[in-house]
Amino acid sequence: MNALMILSVILFVLMTLIGGSKGALSFLSLFINFVVLLIAIFLMLSPGMNPIILTIIACALFSCINLFFVNEVNRKTITAFISTMITIAVLLLLIDVITSLSMIQGFSEEQSEEIAPYSLFVGVDFIKIGASVIIISTIGAITEVAISITSSMGETLLHHPTISRKDLFLSGMRIGKDILGTDTNTLFFAFFGGYMALLIWFIDLDYSIGQIVNSKVFSSEMITIFCAGIGIALIIPITSWINAYVAVKKAQTS
């Protein structure tokens, strides 16, 4: 039994003990998401396939798996799903422009030795691939914030059934403000944790701060973090407004 299997078993046991059936479903969803991601990657390599469209479809499937498969179909998950897809659509417009202007697509010069034996004529649009990478990197954080806000607002409405739509919206915004700082910092430290060896290599090669900041591999990851942060900031008011509108309307008609 290798280390991956041992860690998988430990994760499954902990998620099941703490989360019960939802924890077990969350563990299973990791593998389902992995299969969806692999299928999306293979389809992107097919002639005539648009990576952006495939990414939107993949993100919709990721959201369905993370929301409906784990938490069932209800008002909270439906609202979170709608909010997620609206945010992804808005964010995609920004990311498409950013990747075109920043020219972060493709491989960096630090990777030249590794890819030297291979042909780079792979027949795919690396600008669209770059946008797809950023979107897929942000979908998890966006979905997490959406379901956190809808669940918290649901509890607020449960204990204060006569709350107005405006007060419920403001409640969601206050919840979002608490999430915003921690989630953006999580993305930031995840980058530096994953690229610690690269940063050490930069220092060992006597890269100046300017060379590090302007290197493609560093810039692409920082742009991903900023785009993810923008997505997290956007999802908060979108989810709060949609959930407040739907929840109060349903409470008034019931």
Side-chain angles (χ1 to χ4, degrees):
M1 184 179 291
N2 57 25
L4 290 177
M5 185 62 68
I6 294 174
L7 291 174
S8 298
V9 171
I10 294 173
L11 178 61
F12 174 75
V13 171
L14 289 175
M15 292 180 71
T16 304
L17 288 176
I18 296 172
S21 60
K22 282 191 176 182
L25 290 175
S26 298
F27 181 82
L28 181 59
S29 69
L30 294 174
F31 295 94
I32 300 176
N33 284 329
F34 180 69
V35 172
V36 172
L37 181 60
L38 284 181
I39 294 173
I41 292 172
F42 283 121
L43 289 176
M44 287 180 187
L45 298 176
S46 302
M49 289 292 184
N50 191 322
I52 300 297
I53 295 176
L54 288 174
T55 300
I56 294 174
I57 296 173
C59 287
L61 291 175
F62 292 146
S63 299
C64 288
I65 294 167
N66 296 334
L67 294 172
F68 302 137
F69 178 71
V70 176
N71 298 293
E72 301 178 349
V73 179
N74 51 54
R75 179 183 56 78
K76 293 185 294 185
T77 54
I78 292 174
T79 302
F81 176 78
I82 295 172
S83 303
T84 299
M85 297 313 299
I86 292 174
T87 304
I88 289 295
V90 174
L91 195 60
L92 188 58
L93 298 175
L94 173 65
I95 290 174
D96 191 37
V97 174
I98 292 297
T99 51
S100 299
L101 295 177
S102 60
M103 295 187 294
I104 59 171
Q105 70 277 0
F107 301 98
S108 64
E109 61 181 12
E110 289 82 12
Q111 299 166 313
S112 58
E113 292 185 5
E114 299 174 6
I115 63 176
Y118 305 102
S119 173
L120 298 182
F121 296 99
V122 294
V124 295
D125 189 338
F126 273 99
I127 294 179
K128 293 181 179 178
I129 293 294
S132 299
V133 169
I134 296 175
I135 285 292
I136 292 175
S137 301
T138 61
I139 184 64
I142 291 173
T143 306
E144 176 194 349
V145 173
I147 191 63
S148 298
I149 292 176
T150 55
S151 298
S152 301
M153 291 176 69
E155 288 296 315
T156 301
L157 185 63
L158 179 64
H159 294 287
H160 303 280
T162 59
I163 190 172
S164 66
R165 182 175 288 126
K166 179 181 177 181
D167 289 338
L168 186 60
F169 169 77
L170 294 176
S171 173
M173 291 296 294
R174 286 191 293 269
I175 295 166
K177 290 176 183 177
D178 294 334
I179 299 173
L180 181 61
T182 55
D183 270 34
T184 50
N185 276 283
T186 299
L187 296 170
F188 178 79
F189 288 115
F191 160 70
F192 280 103
Y195 280 82
M196 184 68 72
L198 177 65
L199 296 174
I200 293 173
W201 186 38
F202 281 158
I203 296 172
D204 189 54
L205 293 175
D206 294 325
Y207 271 39
S208 65
I209 297 297
Q211 288 175 308
I212 294 175
V213 172
N214 287 286
S215 65
K216 180 183 287 188
V217 64
F218 183 87
S219 298
S220 62
E221 291 301 321
M222 291 306 297
I223 288 173
T224 301
I225 293 173
F226 289 139
C227 289
I230 292 171
I232 293 172
L234 285 175
I235 193 69
I236 293 171
I238 292 174
T239 304
S240 299
W241 186 85
I242 294 176
N243 195 43
Y245 179 82
V246 174
V248 173
K249 184 177 181 180
K250 184 178 180 180
Q252 291 174 347
T253 56
S254 60

